[in-house]
Amino acid sequence: MNTNFRIEIFYSPSEHKTYSGELPGGIKGEFGPGIRSLIITLNHVANVSEPKIHEFLKNIGVHISRATISRILTKDTDVFNQEKAEIFREGLKATPYQQIDDTSARVNGVNHYTQILCNPYYAAYFTVPNKNRETILDVLLCGNEKKYCFNDEAFDLMKTFNVSQIWMEKLSSFKNKIFSDEEMSRKLDCVFSLNGYKTTKKKVLEACAIAAYHQSTDIPVVTTLLSDDARQFKQIASHHALCWIHDGRNYKKLRPIVPYHKEKLEAFLDRYWDFYGELCEFRENPDLEIAKQLSTKFDQLFSTITGYEQLDERINKTKENKEHLLKVLVLPEVPLHNNAAELAARAKVRKRDVSLQTITDEGTKANDTFMTIVQTAKKLGVSAYQYIFDRVGNTFKMPSLAQLIREKSSLS
């Protein structure tokens, strides 16, 4: 069905100008907010590819080109991009912890990574070329300029990253100074040769960037991060909690053939998940005395010697992560698993299954933005279609998702 709008036109003889009446709100080009919202919803909520959207619209009598569908999905998304930024900022403030995960992505034939940050109130997506610590910090800085600080924490981190004492002494002249990205590059070029010691230089950059981030006052700083055991997630936050489900999967990777080894693995896994159940109960009813008992029980459980070499090695690796796996004993609000981030990552994977890749940076940004809005709306119990229609139609009758995050988190 086509709608014909008749707009009044006035000519001013004194000004020699013609004035035209405005179209109703939300009308842009040949299509109104209904079709445009439907296209966005089909693509980002129902995971329908652009060719299939074109086929569907053609079958119901809508004459529209594939290029127009692509423009509706990728152009003029500033309102939604701003909403995503607000969602992320409010989400960072909503809980004392954040969950993080990543999954692979493709942009115009080049491998990228989508970083997912979330908690019970939101999920935000950021597709980036790398998945190192500095990239994650770029995401957490919410668009603010990255800075580098040579304070005590930075030198402690350098030590943790195995930067040699010789280099730390050479860098000591920068103690308690803060540099911009450009200034930091110049300073390090003076200390290190221009193209040499790349690994050491990278470690110094990471250490100083993390130290500066922890001192930030104009953005919500993440103090507790829950993730799997991937290297790039370590040291980002003051507290790093590890996922028990991820750790448990390592035991499932063992494939014993000898019956004795099978028995030992099954018996240990029974004890492993029994202990996990006790941690779940503790999280519901935290108690200092029980926390001490669980810490002692952890040491006993993961000091087990079974005689099955691969299993004993795996048990020892779990024991080495005691501080991070038992973060719940000091911060009971932190979940024991990272399932929320994994489910958010799965939504990205399903999207990738339908649309293999994005082509332009503009399209990649739009895809991240709408995935953030759709998945956040889902968590908040908001109809993604109604929300998109409200914004596309410029009515703004529905409260922003950021406002809902703020309200719901304050009630909790």
Side-chain angles (χ1 to χ4, degrees):
M1 180 184 292
N2 294 327
T3 302
N4 182 31
F5 291 99
R6 300 181 65 186
I7 57 176
E8 294 184 284
I9 298 177
F10 298 92
Y11 176 72
S12 171
S14 60
E15 296 181 358
H16 302 289
K17 290 175 67 176
T18 299
Y19 293 89
S20 300
E22 294 184 355
L23 289 167
I27 303 296
K28 189 167 186 178
E30 310 101 304
F31 302 99
I35 289 292
R36 286 159 52 210
S37 300
L38 177 62
I39 288 171
I40 294 171
T41 304
L42 286 172
N43 187 253
H44 294 290
V45 179
N47 281 343
V48 181
S49 65
E50 290 182 30
K52 285 297 181 182
I53 292 174
H54 180 258
E55 183 180 334
F56 168 72
L57 292 176
K58 183 179 177 182
N59 270 278
I60 62 173
V62 178
H63 298 286
I64 187 170
S65 69
R66 291 189 181 184
T68 301
I69 292 172
S70 180
R71 283 195 297 272
I72 289 171
L73 292 170
T74 60
K75 304 288 185 182
D76 299 321
T77 59
D78 290 346
V79 169
F80 292 106
N81 292 335
Q82 181 59 36
E83 293 234 1
K84 177 196 173 182
E86 292 171 1
I87 286 169
F88 186 46
R89 184 175 283 270
E90 287 301 326
L92 290 176
K93 295 189 289 187
T95 58
Y97 68 90
Q98 300 296 320
Q99 296 177 243
I100 190 169
D101 201 357
D102 60 45
T103 187
S104 60
R106 297 273 286 179
V107 178
N108 199 23
V110 178
N111 289 333
H112 279 57
Y113 305 91
T114 299
Q115 300 291 340
I116 301 109
L117 281 115
C118 66
N119 62 32
Y121 303 102
Y122 86 107
Y125 296 77
F126 304 87
T127 299
V128 289
N130 304 299
K131 60 174 183 177
N132 52 29
R133 287 194 190 97
E134 281 208 87
T135 301
I136 295 171
L137 282 175
D138 285 335
V139 170
L140 292 173
L141 285 169
C142 304
N144 289 275
E145 181 187 359
K146 186 187 291 179
K147 294 182 180 179
Y148 300 87
C149 178
F150 282 91
N151 58 10
D152 290 335
E153 182 187 7
F155 284 97
D156 288 341
L157 286 168
M158 287 181 216
K159 191 174 180 180
T160 302
F161 297 158
N162 295 319
V163 175
S164 71
Q165 188 63 35
I166 294 172
W167 287 119
M168 286 196 285
E169 288 175 3
K170 289 183 178 181
L171 294 166
S172 62
S173 59
F174 302 140
K175 190 75 179 286
N176 295 324
K177 292 183 179 178
I178 299 175
F179 300 115
S180 66
D181 214 343
E182 185 180 345
E183 290 170 336
M184 187 69 168
S185 181
R186 288 202 308 267
K187 297 294 182 183
L188 293 189
D189 285 343
C190 293
V191 176
F192 303 94
S193 58
L194 194 60
N195 295 312
Y197 303 101
K198 290 183 178 179
T199 302
T200 302
K201 190 185 294 187
K202 181 174 177 288
K203 291 176 180 178
V204 172
L205 285 169
E206 287 183 349
C208 294
I210 291 170
Y213 168 68
H214 288 169
Q215 286 191 332
S216 299
T217 56
D218 53 350
I219 57 171
V221 176
V222 177
T223 56
T224 305
L225 197 64
L226 171 61
S227 73
D228 59 25
D229 201 21
R231 173 189 172 276
Q232 67 269 19
F233 300 136
K234 298 177 180 178
Q235 311 298 334
I236 294 288
S238 302
H239 299 286
H240 182 206
L242 288 180
C243 171
W244 275 85
I245 304 299
H246 274 89
D247 185 74
R249 286 175 190 160
N250 292 314
Y251 291 89
K252 292 185 178 181
K253 292 176 183 177
L254 299 174
R255 294 288 187 269
I257 298 174
V258 178
Y260 175 79
H261 291 168
K262 289 182 179 180
E263 290 175 9
K264 289 295 181 182
L265 177 58
E266 289 173 6
F268 182 80
L269 282 177
D270 286 342
R271 296 172 62 199
Y272 183 99
W273 293 116
D274 285 345
F275 182 74
Y276 175 79
E278 291 183 50
L279 290 176
C280 292
E281 291 176 8
F282 170 84
R283 189 167 179 264
E284 294 297 322
N285 299 289
D287 180 89
L288 184 60
E289 191 59 38
I290 295 177
K292 293 177 182 177
Q293 294 172 11
L294 287 171
S295 178
T296 302
K297 192 168 184 177
F298 180 97
D299 292 334
Q300 294 169 347
L301 175 60
F302 293 100
S303 296
T304 302
I305 305 295
T306 66
Y308 174 19
E309 186 177 353
Q310 286 79 13
L311 175 57
D312 291 342
E313 288 175 0
R314 183 61 253 168
I315 291 172
N316 190 57
K317 287 180 180 177
T318 299
K319 186 177 182 179
E320 290 173 357
N321 284 326
K322 175 183 178 180
E323 177 190 351
H324 308 296
L325 287 167
L326 292 187
K327 191 63 68 177
V328 67
L329 299 185
V330 290
L331 299 169
E333 65 274 13
V334 179
L336 289 164
H337 57 73
N338 202 27
N339 290 358
E342 284 204 338
L343 288 171
R346 193 174 299 168
K348 172 65 179 180
V349 172
R350 296 286 78 80
K351 177 74 173 174
R352 191 180 65 217
D353 290 342
V354 174
S355 305
L356 175 63
Q357 62 178 348
T358 51
I359 302 299
T360 64
D361 290 340
E362 190 176 42
T364 304
K365 184 177 182 179
N367 192 48
D368 285 344
T369 291
F370 283 112
M371 285 207 72
T372 298
I373 289 170
V374 169
Q375 294 303 316
T376 300
K378 186 177 180 180
K379 289 195 172 195
L380 296 173
V382 174
S383 165
Y385 171 74
Q386 290 178 358
Y387 193 81
I388 291 167
F389 184 88
D390 182 73
R391 268 41 182 177
V392 169
N394 291 325
T395 57
F396 291 91
K397 292 180 180 178
M398 296 178 69
S400 71
L401 296 178
Q403 180 183 334
L404 291 176
I405 291 171
R406 188 162 52 247
E407 291 173 356
K408 292 200 172 189
S409 62
S410 65
L411 291 174
S412 298

